[in-house]
Amino acid sequence: GSLFGGWLADRGVMRAIWIVLLLNVTALGLIPFTAPSAVLVTINMLFVGFAALALGPPLQTRLMDVAADAQ
């Protein structure tokens, strides 16, 4: 997830943040539908972890951009 988030952030920080947030919403929204199946919920939990870890690099990059000289 972190590698994917960093890769996206290199191509556009704000776009990466929106994409990863949409991934998070999608992953969390699928939980009720995958819960009845152990296999599906396991795959979905991996997707949730991937999406959550992908958010770190774009947010950190945006923070450093906004902080300017306070880095």
Side-chain angles (χ1 to χ4, degrees):
S2 294
L3 292 174
F4 178 70
W7 180 81
L8 275 178
D10 286 342
R11 280 140 187 80
V13 175
M14 291 307 295
R15 186 181 76 151
I17 290 172
W18 282 109
I19 290 171
V20 174
L21 283 174
L22 287 174
L23 282 176
N24 274 294
V25 168
T26 303
L28 293 172
L30 287 175
I31 290 174
F33 303 106
T34 60
S37 169
V39 173
L40 289 179
V41 80
T42 302
I43 293 169
N44 193 39
M45 287 300 108
L46 292 172
F47 184 49
V48 168
F50 176 84
L53 286 173
L55 192 54
L59 286 179
Q60 186 67 33
T61 303
R62 175 70 177 146
L63 179 65
M64 290 189 308
D65 289 345
V66 171
D69 293 333
Q71 295 178 21

